[in-house]
Amino acid sequence: MTERVAATPGLYPLPDWAKGTLSDLKGHQKGDLLSGDESEAIVEQYDEVRAEFVDDQLDAGLDRVVEGQGRWDDMIAHPLTVHDSVETGGIVRYYDNNNFYRDPRVVDDLDFSGDVARELESAERLIDGEAPLAATLPGPYSLADLASDEHYGDEAAFQAAIAEFLAGEVEAFPAHETLFLLEPSLVTNPPAEGAESTATDAIATVADATDADVVVQTFYGALGEKLYAHLVDEAGADALGLDLVAGDRDDTVYNVQEFGSTDSLALGLVDGQNTLVEEPETVAERVEWFESQIPAEGFDRTYLTPNTELFYLPANKYRAKLNALAAAAEVLD
């Protein structure tokens, strides 16, 4: 029987009460965004934000609890933008939406940071054993795609270096049940023909750094057929995350029908960029529709997730979507 797990990859919207306070504490210019050496007053504000994120998830009844990534000013580019070997360049559009991040320009060797591990240690203390912890990182392909290489000089070498950096970060994480590796660039800017294994090798390097279940979460649409097959066979993931909200979901279903799947899957079922809140029954129907399209006997585990990060939403809508995911898992039980 397939286990249904309600979870999210995090990147939640800041609560309204925190926006003004943090803006005043950090300043209002590009150079005033988080750099990893924030003051005690800023740390205290983010501690309160993190505690609220954890409470939101526990109240909703999610099966995995993430840190929430309130500090990530630069979305999934964050692990690089706070790194000592990285200089921040101009403002760049974050995929095809109205959010922006600072271009991380890698100018020296990427060694251990520990920034994300410290966030997770704080979250672990807040959760206090009430639910399993899930960790979130950018996948190495997407992080390399979002950054500028001014040190390694070769695309494959840069992806490998990013992967080794992320693997080192994972090794410092506290015990976690699941690791979400966010890989939107696999859809929006996929590897060139013949370069798929470079990307999957990089993902496998990070996946090998943890004993937790690894979910390679793709979003913004369907994967190309050849790349999908490479990911299933080579990435070392326990689950591949698939966007079922995007209009080309029939292509996603075709990929699974034609090329098989990982032992588990993560389904993007609620729209992370639309304030319309899905009913739990609707979410459950989407799971059942997807599974009815697949001739196999089922999966070890199906993660019920949003199709993207949730920071695009107002705080009340993000909480409503957490509740919908958790309730949908109960409907399916």
Side-chain angles (χ1 to χ4, degrees):
M1 183 176 177
T2 302
E3 179 188 11
R4 270 63 178 260
V5 173
T8 79
L11 278 86
Y12 294 156
L14 281 176
D16 291 339
W17 61 262
K19 291 178 181 176
T21 305
L22 283 166
S23 180
D24 291 342
L25 288 170
K26 292 162 64 177
H28 301 83
Q29 303 300 318
K30 182 189 76 171
D32 297 325
L33 296 176
L34 198 73
S35 59
D37 57 353
E38 54 266 37
S39 68
E40 185 175 343
I42 294 174
V43 170
E44 289 176 357
Q45 286 295 304
Y46 281 121
D47 285 345
E48 293 185 33
V49 170
R50 182 179 298 112
E52 185 165 313
F53 287 161
V54 168
D55 286 344
D56 289 343
Q57 295 168 85
L58 293 175
D59 289 346
L62 291 183
D63 299 302
R64 301 284 185 275
V65 173
V66 295
E67 191 270 339
Q69 294 84 42
R71 291 174 63 243
W72 292 24
D73 286 333
D74 298 281
M75 284 73 81
I76 65 173
H78 168 88
L80 284 185
T81 52
V82 298
H83 195 285
D84 289 342
S85 297
V86 177
E87 298 176 356
T88 53
I91 298 297
V92 183
R93 184 179 294 276
Y94 182 68
Y95 297 107
D96 187 20
N97 58 61
N98 290 325
N99 293 283
F100 298 85
Y101 68 99
R102 294 168 294 174
D103 175 25
R105 297 167 47 235
V106 178
V107 297
D108 204 344
D109 288 344
L110 290 170
D111 53 6
F112 176 71
S113 164
D115 182 272
V116 178
R118 289 189 287 274
E119 292 177 338
L120 288 170
E121 288 164 358
S122 297
E124 182 185 41
R125 289 192 290 271
L126 291 165
I127 297 168
D128 195 25
E130 293 188 53
L133 175 69
T136 298
L137 276 179
Y141 181 79
S142 294
L143 191 55
D145 181 51
L146 294 176
S148 297
D149 173 27
E150 299 184 4
H151 178 67
Y152 291 95
D154 174 82
E155 184 175 345
F158 189 45
Q159 284 185 42
I162 294 273
E164 291 292 345
F165 159 63
L166 292 173
E169 302 304 293
V170 171
E171 289 170 356
F173 286 179
H176 51 288
E177 192 80 9
T178 303
L179 170 64
F180 285 94
L181 292 178
L182 308 190
E183 285 283 19
S185 292
L186 291 173
V187 173
T188 62
N189 185 27
E193 184 82 12
E196 295 90 348
S197 291
T198 300
T200 54
D201 287 350
I203 294 169
T205 295
V206 185
D208 287 346
T210 179
D211 293 330
D213 283 345
V214 175
V215 180
V216 176
Q217 191 86 6
T218 68
F219 41 96
Y220 300 139
L223 290 157
E225 296 177 20
K226 186 176 179 182
L227 177 59
Y228 175 88
H230 275 276
L231 286 165
V232 169
D233 293 336
E234 301 170 2
D238 299 280
L240 191 55
L242 305 172
D243 184 349
L244 294 189
V245 176
D248 50 0
R249 56 185 172 273
D250 287 343
D251 293 339
T252 294
V253 170
Y254 171 81
N255 283 339
V256 181
Q257 292 170 331
E258 188 69 17
F259 303 107
S261 72
T262 43
D263 292 339
S264 300
L265 284 175
L267 303 179
L269 299 161
V270 303
D271 194 335
Q273 296 178 284
N274 190 317
T275 57
L276 178 66
V277 178
E278 297 84 352
E279 294 293 331
E281 291 76 13
T282 301
V283 178
E285 287 170 2
R286 291 175 181 175
V287 174
E288 292 171 335
W289 171 81
F290 176 82
E291 293 179 346
S292 72
Q293 307 298 306
I294 308 304
E297 63 276 8
F299 310 104
D300 293 343
R301 177 178 297 154
T302 299
Y303 290 90
L304 280 59
T305 73
N307 71 322
T308 68
E309 317 101 321
L310 293 174
F311 70 85
Y312 308 92
L313 300 171
N316 63 330
K317 298 296 183 181
Y318 123 83
R319 292 190 191 97
K321 300 231 178 194
L322 299 186
N323 291 330
L325 287 168
E330 293 184 2
V331 170
L332 289 163
D333 285 343

